[in-house]
Amino acid sequence: MVEKIGFIGTGVMGTSMIKNLLKANYQVTVYNRTQAHAQAAIDAGATWAYTPAAVTRVSDVIITMVGFPQDVEEVYFGKHGIFSVVKSGQTLIDMTTSKPSLAKKIFATAVRKGINSLDAPVSGGDIGAQKGELTIMVGGSQGVFAKMLPIFHAMGKDVNIFGGAGSGQSTKMANQIMIAGTMTGLTEMLVYAKKANLDVEKVLKTVGGGSATNWSLSNYGPRILAGDYTPGFFAKHFLKDLRIALDEAKAMDLDLPATQRAEELYQQLVEVKKLGDDGTQALVKLWWPETKDEENK
Amino acid sequence: MVEKIGFIGTGVMGTSMIKNLLKANYQVTVYNRTQAHAQAAIDAGATWAYTPAAVTRVSDVIITMVGFPQDVEEVYFGKHGIFSVVKSGQTLIDMTTSKPSLAKKIFATAVRKGINSLDAPVSGGDIGAQKGELTIMVGGSQGVFAKMLPIFHAMGKDVNIFGGAGSGQSTKMANQIMIAGTMTGLTEMLVYAKKANLDVEKVLKTVGGGSATNWSLSNYGPRILAGDYTPGFFAKHFLKDLRIALDEAKAMDLDLPATQRAEELYQQLVEVKKLGDDGTQALVKLWWPETKDEENK
């Protein structure tokens, strides 16, 4: 039975996931690029290690939850990375939302070195991570998935495997493509309603009660009207996800015009307006500039 | 108290609405461009009249539920139209989804002739109309709205006024802008998942269980996977709605890039592929041509 887990990446999501693993009586060794940000995990009972390699040396299962695909590359393939020291019997699980193609590359490298790997990105956000109720979308071998189920269930509620290496990431991309639609629709709906001088709160209630109902509307609609742009999910990370989805689509010779348009809009928000540290609901600031937060309440 | 209602437009929606008015003990006189399509309403107890003017002569309240804004124009302003014979004390209610600007024009004409008018488009589709559970979005005077409430409640459940003339139509446009997002997101999500060789049914269940949840996904997702493109709502009517929304937005100097993209996609479906009589979920046929329905099940 697995007892020793290595966990690389102690951000908002990672820290909550580590706490849930500790509660389930796993021993957890952690690494994070910025050591100070690992303090909450260490206070909760995790042990610090100075490199991804050092984490790997003492762990049966190594979980990664970092920011961008280039961070994943570094953590796995870098000088003091995971692959520099892996040994037979270990299992690697990347839970970062990253490229399906990178998941396949990690899987192929793992196979060559005689170890196991899964891609297992999540949805459910900070709240889901805290409650141990994440949705976990897994790709890889069925047998390895089955063995890792106790670990996944310490962190998540809806845990499923979708096929071979990369298919967890592909499923997460499908999820983000859907959300691109609800976020752009919600934003343009609010912008239109306000410009037409309607009582936007009343419109939100009526529209949200019928066939236009969706999670983004009921969760982000009221936050936007309250001028609350704190991140449930960073706009910069959503832009990253949309770009991965579009790159993968292009590689499959698939055109996704509406998702492409969403990417253009989030690019404006993140790279032109420099508001990537806001939540995804800040898309409305393309129409309602920040300086007008008060008047747009 | 109003007892005599005129109802112009006996399509799928109109016929169900008329039946509910009859059940509420109103006398209903009907007109429809194609008389044969009024038979179900007549069988249910409505009386036929040969022109919109003839309907208007015998009614206290005249409701219109037709197809396109040009039909609304004809019914109100045409040679044998409503306005040719209106008289003091009457109330006109256009429940067609139509242009806010046309609603304002009808209102202005009504004021000049000393009568009342409301715009009151609906959502909830054929099922909502049958059950008398439509969402009704009203624009016009508060006093007139209050007097018409018993009539609205014979047909709908969630009945609200959003402001002066045209604001019912504007609210409906906001609703359609939101749905443009859920429909394009759903479509591209399914197309991506299939191309990535995922189990699309499983993806739909997982994506639909988290923060991407929406009505279009849970209602149209399974229909698309079953190859069922019968209309809950005609693609051609949705294209009309998106064009009205974009025209109104343009008139307000407002750019809605994602809604614009949705309009382009539905234009392809309706005007290039000639599939306007399919339901809105047929958008997926831009990627999965009709001849492949079977293989895409």
Side-chain angles (χ1 to χ4, degrees):
Chain A
M1 197 198 130
V2 175
E3 292 189 344
K4 294 176 179 175
I5 295 178
F7 203 109
I8 296 166
T10 58
V12 174
M13 297 292 290
T15 300
S16 293
M17 291 156 80
I18 290 162
K19 286 180 180 172
N20 285 320
L21 290 170
L22 291 165
K23 272 186 213 155
N25 292 316
Y26 291 102
Q27 294 172 36
V28 185
T29 304
V30 302
Y31 167 78
N32 193 59
R33 198 163 45 193
T34 307
Q35 188 177 349
H37 294 167
Q39 200 53 53
I42 294 165
D43 290 347
T47 306
W48 173 258
Y50 279 93
T51 62
V55 167
T56 306
R57 278 195 202 93
V58 298
S59 305
D60 305 313
V61 172
I62 299 93
I63 297 173
T64 49
M65 186 68 177
V66 295
F68 290 83
Q70 58 266 37
D71 302 321
V72 176
E73 282 267 6
E74 178 65 24
V75 161
Y76 281 83
F77 299 98
K79 197 177 170 195
H80 301 287
I82 294 167
F83 277 126
S84 68
V85 296
V86 284
K87 52 185 186 291
S88 170
Q90 287 182 315
T91 300
L92 315 179
I93 308 176
D94 185 23
M95 301 188 77
T96 317
T97 294
S98 173
K99 298 178 188 180
S101 55
L102 181 52
K104 287 174 194 162
K105 179 179 163 187
I106 292 170
F107 181 82
T109 307
V111 166
R112 238 183 315 114
K113 291 180 178 274
I115 59 166
N116 301 314
S117 101
L118 298 171
D119 49 297
V122 306
S123 72
D126 49 348
I127 307 290
Q130 276 171 33
K131 294 188 176 172
E133 294 182 354
L134 291 168
T135 295
I136 306 181
M137 294 157 267
V138 186
S141 114
Q142 184 70 48
V144 177
F145 171 69
K147 275 183 211 151
M148 294 300 121
L149 270 175
I151 294 178
F152 286 135
H153 279 291
M155 300 180 285
K157 204 169 59 172
D158 187 14
V159 182
N160 285 287
I161 183 163
F162 291 88
S167 62
Q169 296 294 354
S170 288
T171 303
K172 179 68 190 283
M173 287 305 118
N175 190 75
Q176 302 306 71
I177 289 168
M178 183 68 248
I179 291 177
T182 59
M183 288 308 298
T184 54
L186 171 64
T187 301
E188 296 195 356
M189 184 267 273
L190 289 173
V191 163
Y192 180 96
K194 190 171 162 56
K195 193 86 174 188
N197 286 316
L198 299 171
D199 177 337
V200 182
E201 210 155 328
K202 202 169 177 181
V203 169
L204 207 57
K205 192 160 165 283
T206 289
V207 169
S211 52
T213 309
N214 66 90
W215 192 96
S216 295
L217 183 153
S218 49
N219 283 271
Y220 289 129
R223 290 195 215 174
I224 292 169
L225 297 192
D228 175 7
Y229 298 108
T230 55
F233 185 56
F234 284 124
K236 65 184 176 190
H237 285 162
F238 192 54
L239 176 61
K240 169 203 71 167
D241 294 355
L242 293 179
R243 284 177 171 168
I244 293 172
L246 289 167
D247 283 350
E248 294 290 322
K250 198 177 170 189
M252 299 188 292
D253 201 23
L254 183 65
D255 201 20
L256 301 177
T259 308
Q260 179 67 56
R261 183 55 55 89
E263 189 271 341
E264 290 159 17
L265 291 168
Y266 274 99
Q267 179 183 1
Q268 279 288 314
L269 182 71
V270 173
E271 296 183 349
V272 180
K273 301 253 178 202
K274 309 286 183 199
L275 294 172
D277 288 328
D278 273 355
T280 48
Q281 73 273 28
L283 190 61
V284 79
K285 288 184 181 176
L286 292 186
W287 289 265
W288 301 345
E290 191 147 26
T291 49
K292 290 190 182 172
D293 271 13
E294 283 308 312
E295 104 183 27
N296 282 306
K297 273 188 187 177
Chain B
M1 196 199 133
V2 175
E3 292 190 340
K4 294 178 180 176
I5 295 179
F7 203 109
I8 295 167
T10 58
V12 173
M13 297 292 289
T15 300
S16 293
M17 293 157 80
I18 290 163
K19 286 180 181 172
N20 284 320
L21 290 170
L22 290 166
K23 271 185 214 156
N25 292 317
Y26 291 103
Q27 294 173 38
V28 184
T29 304
V30 300
Y31 167 80
N32 194 59
R33 197 164 44 192
T34 307
Q35 188 176 350
H37 294 166
Q39 199 55 50
I42 293 165
D43 290 347
T47 306
W48 173 258
Y50 280 93
T51 62
V55 167
T56 306
R57 277 193 203 96
V58 298
S59 305
D60 304 314
V61 172
I62 298 94
I63 297 174
T64 50
M65 186 68 177
V66 295
F68 291 83
Q70 58 265 40
D71 303 321
V72 175
E73 282 267 4
E74 178 64 24
V75 161
Y76 281 83
F77 299 98
K79 198 179 171 196
H80 301 287
I82 294 167
F83 278 126
S84 68
V85 296
V86 285
K87 52 187 185 289
S88 170
Q90 286 182 315
T91 300
L92 314 180
I93 308 176
D94 184 24
M95 301 187 77
T96 316
T97 294
S98 173
K99 300 179 186 178
S101 56
L102 180 52
K104 286 175 195 161
K105 179 180 162 187
I106 291 170
F107 180 82
T109 307
V111 167
R112 241 184 313 115
K113 291 181 178 272
I115 59 167
N116 302 313
S117 102
L118 298 172
D119 50 296
V122 305
S123 73
D126 47 349
I127 307 291
Q130 275 170 33
K131 293 187 177 170
E133 293 182 355
L134 292 168
T135 296
I136 306 180
M137 295 157 265
V138 186
S141 115
Q142 184 69 49
V144 176
F145 171 70
K147 275 185 210 154
M148 294 298 121
L149 271 175
I151 293 179
F152 287 135
H153 279 291
M155 301 180 284
K157 204 168 60 172
D158 188 14
V159 182
N160 285 287
I161 185 163
F162 290 88
S167 63
Q169 296 294 355
S170 289
T171 302
K172 178 67 190 283
M173 288 303 118
N175 189 76
Q176 302 305 73
I177 289 168
M178 184 67 249
I179 290 177
T182 60
M183 288 308 299
T184 54
L186 171 64
T187 301
E188 296 195 357
M189 184 267 272
L190 289 174
V191 162
Y192 180 96
K194 188 171 166 57
K195 192 88 174 187
N197 286 316
L198 300 172
D199 177 338
V200 183
E201 210 156 328
K202 204 168 175 181
V203 170
L204 206 58
K205 192 159 166 283
T206 289
V207 170
S211 52
T213 309
N214 65 90
W215 192 95
S216 295
L217 183 152
S218 49
N219 283 271
Y220 290 129
R223 290 195 216 176
I224 291 169
L225 297 191
D228 175 7
Y229 298 108
T230 54
F233 186 56
F234 285 123
K236 65 185 176 188
H237 285 161
F238 192 54
L239 177 60
K240 168 204 72 169
D241 293 356
L242 294 179
R243 285 178 170 169
I244 293 172
L246 290 166
D247 283 350
E248 293 290 321
K250 197 177 169 190
M252 297 188 293
D253 202 22
L254 183 65
D255 201 19
L256 302 176
T259 307
Q260 178 68 54
R261 183 55 54 90
E263 189 271 341
E264 290 158 16
L265 291 168
Y266 274 99
Q267 179 183 1
Q268 280 288 315
L269 182 72
V270 173
E271 295 182 350
V272 180
K273 301 251 179 205
K274 309 288 183 197
L275 295 172
D277 288 328
D278 273 356
T280 48
Q281 74 272 29
L283 189 62
V284 79
K285 289 186 180 177
L286 293 185
W287 289 265
W288 300 346
E290 190 147 26
T291 50
K292 289 190 182 170
D293 271 14
E294 281 309 312
E295 104 184 29
N296 281 305
K297 272 186 187 177

